[in-house]
Amino acid sequence: MSLYSVINAIFGSNESDPQLEKKWNLIGRENELICLPCRRVYSKRGNDYDVALYYVHGKFHAIDATCPHLGGPLDEIVDLEMLVTMERPHAMCPWHLYAYDLETGSSPQGLTVDVYETKLKEENLFILHRDELSLHPYETEV
Ligand code: FES
């Protein structure tokens, strides 16, 4: 465990360990992923590092799945019609309705979430992230 991780564990910081290098994670087939406008992608490091994967206006967007306000889920859609009709789509937290721009991660309230690069290669979607990611939750110790 790095010093950074120890500090995060003690103070409850939500920041990622800068020592970890980002790598491209294969998430799945494009034609299967476009079936949902939003879903959670799980991080092997724990739920605090999960990603909300959006598919809006024919494009994938990946942002933190945890709202930096008080920890609400950003992989739940509050208003689908609003999401798909906004010129610049935003993820909206269902707890207090803070909205986060899917391109920049910023919100009018001054909070930001991390935005992760996505790419399609041979009809497979990849997300650039520090952690190992999966569409299925990782088993946790009980
Ligand atoms: S927890 Fe997300 S807006 Fe408050």
Side-chain angles (χ1 to χ4, degrees):
M1 180 180 269
S2 70
L3 177 59
Y4 203 85
S5 300
V6 172
I7 291 169
N8 283 345
I10 293 170
F11 295 106
S13 170
N14 197 11
E15 292 185 29
S16 301
D17 187 337
Q19 307 266 331
L20 296 173
E21 277 190 35
K22 290 183 179 177
K23 57 186 177 295
W24 287 105
N25 283 264
L26 171 62
I27 305 303
R29 301 285 297 165
E30 176 187 16
N31 63 350
E32 295 168 3
L33 295 171
I34 63 174
C35 297
L36 286 179
C38 183
R39 68 178 76 221
R40 180 171 287 253
V41 178
Y42 297 89
S43 164
K44 192 170 188 179
R45 228 175 1 143
N47 291 352
D48 287 349
Y49 304 97
D50 288 351
V51 170
L53 176 64
Y54 282 81
Y55 182 72
V56 187
H57 300 166
K59 188 175 177 204
F60 288 102
H61 302 272
I63 63 170
D64 289 331
T66 303
C67 177
H69 180 220
L70 292 173
L74 295 179
D75 61 320
E76 293 180 14
I77 294 177
V78 175
D79 186 337
L80 180 60
E81 188 176 332
M82 190 174 81
L83 175 69
V84 298
T85 55
M86 289 174 112
E87 193 172 316
R88 285 185 67 96
H90 285 61
M92 185 173 287
C93 179
W95 288 8
H96 309 101
L97 305 182
Y98 284 24
Y100 298 91
D101 187 312
L102 292 178
E103 296 278 350
T104 66
S106 63
S107 73
Q109 291 79 14
L111 297 176
T112 58
V113 292
D114 283 340
V115 175
Y116 303 99
E117 216 176 311
T118 63
K119 74 174 178 185
L120 287 167
K121 188 175 180 187
E122 296 171 2
E123 300 179 10
N124 288 307
L125 177 75
F126 293 79
I127 297 176
L128 188 61
H129 199 274
R130 291 185 178 93
D131 303 331
E132 191 176 318
L133 301 176
S134 169
L135 286 178
H136 305 287
Y138 290 91
E139 288 185 28
T140 55
E141 292 178 28
V142 180

